[in-house]
Amino acid sequence: NAMMAAEVCSGMSSETVPDPAEVPSDRVPWVLTAFPEIVKNVLRHLPAKSLIQCGRVCKLWYKEAGRILQTRQDMTWTMAEDDMPLKDELAECFEDYSSVPRLAVLFCESSLYDQMHDSEDRPSSGRNKRKKKKESNLVQKVQEALPHGCNIVGVAVPGVICSSTDLSVITEVEDNPAMSALFLPHIDGVKVQPFYVSNEECIHGQFKEDGEKVLGTKGLLPDPHLKAVLLLSCGLGSPALHVVCMELLNEYKGNIIIAGAYPEEVIAPAELTLAQRRDGLVGIAISGEKVQAASILLDHSVRTPADAQEAMKRLKAANIPQENSVCFMFACVGRGYYHYAKGNVETEAFRKEFPNTPILGFFGNGEVGCDRNVPSQTATPEKRWDFHGGREGEEEKYPDLFHGYTTVLCLVSFGRKT
């Protein structure tokens, strides 16, 4: 329209205005392929999905769309419940999403996972074939809604912790079909890397090969800026989980957050075989000089809403920037309503202290984590919490990372937006 054209052209000097005699009769296509400044001002109003499509028009649009997308580094999240078609919800989420996601983290409640399987035609025989079909249906629907090249880490769980995109809804869904999802784009100075460690790589409480070498192949070593590692064990008592935790503690001491839980099933990364998804460990490593992280453990002594609120104040005291942050919550299936005789106690307590931070996670069969704070390198040493867990002069000991009937919250800040 005329107003937009005036706004777009207002910043152009007289030197950029073409000679009227040289302007073709069909001006619009010519202007939109000849003047980068006009193209930039038009394209910058479009969401990422539309920008990707516009980049296929010509070289100029491809370059300008690419430059714009590089400056957009906002994460997003969404939720889907039993009355929301999964694919439609994801597609709607990406219609207006400004950034291109590079990693999708999915927490899918098991009954929703099963419903999607039941809605498809099953193979005539073979349990493993049916299982593979079930997994491919869910992952395929998600992949269809995501941009090409986006990695997926997903688990099926007894219940999920959800946040709506606008944060108007933050809830714990324990008994109904639901899905919670986080989408992370490329962020300058931040590395978010999924990895897999099989039980076969471990024996007698240690790696078969040099532990530093094994973790190096997973991208976990050497990394002086590794701040948080999320661990999703494919099975109870997984040797890989224990070995990875001990190796990380040996290497990074108190300067790392370790948090996670035991889901019912691992459903992605898609490149893992069915046998691999039932064995070993899937993880996400988060590193970067500007990344900060903290975690807290809510044990059996936290029994009332007031207790939960005090625990969240402890997390807030870590002084992690709330801007550009997300919280991962891993709770025992015995908590939630069954623990407090009331729903959404812990998420409501979190929301009071962190009203602008999404919280996502799931109810599982065991939790990994402890109280820990990893500030940025510019933070004063006093803000680091004691790693040894004992008084000065006592024998060094590792924190107890493995729990039951608890809740672990891991708060991660990706740094202030530039």
Side-chain angles (χ1 to χ4, degrees):
N1 61 43
M3 293 182 62
M4 179 176 288
E7 179 184 352
V8 169
C9 297
S10 60
M12 298 176 62
S13 67
S14 59
E15 295 178 356
T16 63
V17 178
D19 187 329
E22 299 176 357
V23 177
S25 57
D26 189 1
R27 298 181 180 182
V28 174
W30 179 75
V31 169
L32 290 178
T33 55
F35 294 95
E37 191 65 25
I38 294 179
V39 173
K40 176 182 176 181
N41 279 278
V42 172
L43 296 185
R44 67 186 178 89
H45 296 285
L46 300 179
K49 183 177 179 180
S50 298
L51 276 174
I52 293 173
Q53 295 171 336
C54 289
R56 300 168 183 160
V57 172
C58 63
K59 290 184 178 180
L60 173 61
W61 284 32
Y62 176 80
K63 292 180 180 179
E64 292 301 327
R67 291 192 185 102
I68 294 171
L69 288 173
Q70 286 179 352
T71 66
R72 296 182 179 178
Q73 301 180 7
D74 297 321
M75 63 180 170
T76 193
W77 53 90
T78 190
M79 58 179 286
E81 295 188 87
D82 53 350
D83 57 345
M84 300 179 184
L86 176 60
K87 186 176 178 181
D88 293 345
E89 179 65 21
L90 290 172
E92 183 178 343
C93 174
F94 291 118
E95 284 297 328
D96 299 319
Y97 186 25
S98 64
S99 305
V100 178
R102 299 300 183 191
L103 175 66
V105 183
L106 309 176
F107 305 127
C108 185
E109 199 270 334
S110 295
S111 62
L112 175 62
Y113 183 50
D114 292 335
Q115 283 179 14
M116 296 176 66
H117 174 38
D118 293 338
S119 65
E120 301 287 343
D121 293 330
R122 299 190 181 197
S124 57
S125 63
R127 182 183 176 190
N128 289 341
K129 291 182 179 180
R130 290 199 299 270
K131 194 74 172 180
K132 186 175 181 180
K133 181 71 172 179
K134 181 169 97 173
E135 292 169 347
S136 65
N137 288 341
L138 174 62
V139 175
Q140 182 178 355
K141 286 180 181 295
V142 174
Q143 287 177 329
E144 288 174 355
L146 291 171
H148 177 72
C150 180
N151 294 317
I152 303 174
V153 172
V155 292
V157 294
V160 296
I161 291 88
C162 303
S163 294
S164 62
T165 305
D166 60 2
L167 293 180
S168 62
V169 177
I170 295 180
T171 184
E172 303 166 23
V173 183
E174 301 182 58
D175 298 313
N176 294 306
M179 187 198 73
S180 181
L182 174 70
F183 306 100
L184 294 170
H186 166 79
I187 302 175
D188 289 339
V190 176
K191 179 182 176 183
V192 182
Q193 178 173 330
F195 63 91
Y196 169 77
V197 179
S198 70
N199 286 333
E200 292 184 358
E201 296 176 87
C202 312
I203 187 172
H204 302 313
Q206 60 185 5
F207 284 116
K208 290 181 180 179
E209 299 182 17
D210 178 65
E212 185 173 345
K213 178 180 178 181
V214 175
L215 292 183
T217 63
K218 313 298 180 183
L220 300 177
L221 287 175
D223 190 344
H225 301 303
L226 183 64
K227 301 297 176 58
V229 179
L230 305 180
L231 302 176
L232 307 173
S233 178
C234 303
L236 292 173
S238 165
L241 174 62
H242 291 263
V243 172
V244 168
C245 285
M246 290 303 102
E247 288 288 343
L248 290 173
L249 290 174
N250 282 330
E251 179 66 25
Y252 294 101
K253 304 302 182 186
N255 300 318
I256 189 174
I257 296 295
I258 299 175
Y262 295 90
E264 291 186 337
E265 293 186 61
V266 171
I267 58 178
E271 60 267 21
L272 296 181
T273 65
L274 180 59
Q276 288 175 320
R277 295 176 198 178
R278 292 175 171 174
D279 169 79
L281 175 71
V282 172
I284 301 173
I286 303 172
S287 63
E289 187 172 0
K290 62 182 181 179
V291 174
Q292 298 184 52
S295 64
I296 59 170
L297 174 71
L298 283 65
D299 61 16
H300 59 85
S301 66
V302 180
R303 304 195 61 84
T304 67
D307 294 338
Q309 199 64 57
E310 286 301 314
M312 300 307 165
K313 290 180 180 178
R314 196 166 76 246
L315 181 61
K316 191 171 184 178
N319 294 320
I320 302 298
Q322 295 189 39
E323 179 186 4
N324 204 26
S325 65
V326 61
C327 185
F328 298 94
M329 175 174 164
F330 305 105
C332 176
V333 291
R335 294 186 74 87
Y337 182 87
Y338 301 101
H339 181 69
Y340 296 100
K342 178 182 178 183
N344 299 321
V345 170
E346 292 173 350
T347 51
E348 287 179 1
F350 176 85
R351 191 173 188 178
K352 288 180 181 178
E353 302 297 332
F354 302 91
N356 300 315
T357 300
I359 181 168
L360 305 96
F362 64 88
F363 292 90
N365 301 307
E367 301 77 56
V368 180
C370 63
D371 277 24
R372 178 79 64 241
N373 178 23
V374 179
S376 65
Q377 290 188 337
T378 58
T380 57
E382 306 87 78
K383 290 185 180 295
R384 296 182 183 273
W385 296 355
D386 180 27
F387 168 70
H388 302 300
R391 297 176 182 175
E392 186 176 357
E394 289 186 351
E395 183 179 354
E396 178 179 353
K397 63 179 182 181
Y398 291 122
D400 184 8
L401 291 176
F402 307 105
H403 311 279
Y405 207 65
T406 62
T407 296
V408 173
L409 278 83
C410 174
L411 179 64
V412 178
S413 169
F414 297 103
R416 299 189 184 278
K417 298 178 182 179
T418 57

